[in-house]
Amino acid sequence: MKPLTLVAVLAILGSQLTYADRLEVQVHGLTCAFCVDSLERKLKAITWVRDVRVSMKDKTVLLELTEGHWHEGVLRQAILDSGFTPVKIEVRSHDQGIQE
């Protein structure tokens, strides 16, 4: 019974993995440089995140991914754990960035 349960869990987790090389996330609650630093540190700790750029002006986070595979639940939870609210996640191509 345990192998069957493991297969079911892996199937569910696998279906939540998505491929992209860059993501833009709209985030509520970014109000100061300390907020930006806190969020950057939390997101950089995720193994599949290569680089993080936060725009406090636009309330967005641009993530460059290392492997291309990402998990929406992990990303949303990291943002929530940092004290912010993820509003919208969009897949971006390399030529699309955030405004500085």
Side-chain angles (χ1 to χ4, degrees):
M1 187 78 172
K2 286 185 182 181
L4 187 56
T5 303
L6 180 59
V7 169
V9 169
L10 291 175
I12 291 169
L13 289 177
S15 68
Q16 294 176 353
L17 290 173
T18 308
Y19 182 81
D21 56 1
R22 188 177 272 203
L23 302 172
E24 182 177 305
V25 185
Q26 290 180 356
V27 179
H28 280 185
L30 292 173
T31 58
C32 66
F34 181 73
C35 296
V36 170
D37 184 58
S38 172
L39 185 56
E40 282 179 347
R41 288 175 190 251
K42 187 70 168 183
L43 294 174
K44 284 181 180 179
I46 299 173
T47 58
W48 38 262
V49 173
R50 177 181 32 215
D51 192 30
V52 177
R53 292 179 47 210
V54 179
S55 171
M56 194 168 53
K57 174 186 163 197
D58 296 329
K59 309 290 190 235
T60 58
V61 177
L62 183 66
L63 301 168
E64 290 190 34
L65 311 180
T66 58
E67 301 168 11
H69 288 77
W70 62 283
H71 189 282
E72 183 175 340
V74 170
L75 179 57
R76 286 187 181 278
Q77 192 59 51
I79 294 169
L80 288 168
D81 290 347
S82 297
F84 308 101
T85 304
V87 178
K88 183 178 182 183
I89 300 173
E90 295 182 18
V91 174
R92 296 284 185 209
S93 65
H94 270 297
D95 58 340
Q96 294 174 309
I98 57 176
Q99 305 297 322
E100 291 291 331

